Amino acid sequence: MLKQHHWGNKKLPIRNIVAMVNHRPKEQFNYVAIKTLSELNGYIDYFEPVLDKSGVCSIAAYLMGIKNQ
């Protein structure tokens, strides 16, 4: 799925996000970011992209294939 590199496997950072539909708690938590739907895109866009467009399309196609089984 992800392209191999001659230096080894690519590491993908894991970010824990809980998306709340309307309101979110005021507290902050150690291992998860709690965002409203309106804050979600800005939070995701803040980080450097890890995958290029073809990598994202490859993962999406794989997941759609699982869904359609």
Side-chain angles (χ1 to χ4, degrees):
M1 183 181 318
L2 297 176
K3 294 179 184 173
Q4 289 286 336
H5 193 278
H6 66 275
W7 291 335
N9 294 330
K10 189 173 198 173
K11 289 188 177 185
L12 297 175
I14 304 297
R15 305 202 194 286
N16 300 314
I17 304 170
V18 173
M20 305 297 285
V21 175
N22 292 317
H23 302 285
R24 64 180 171 89
K26 293 181 180 176
E27 297 85 16
Q28 293 184 351
F29 301 92
N30 288 332
Y31 302 108
V32 64
I34 300 178
K35 302 293 178 186
T36 61
L37 290 178
S38 63
E39 298 171 319
L40 198 54
N41 282 341
Y43 180 77
I44 293 170
D45 286 340
Y46 171 79
F47 300 100
E48 283 290 319
V50 177
L51 301 172
D52 59 10
K53 185 175 181 176
S54 67
V56 172
C57 288
S58 174
I59 292 170
Y62 175 79
L63 293 173
M64 292 300 289
I66 291 173
K67 175 187 167 198
N68 294 328
Q69 289 183 357

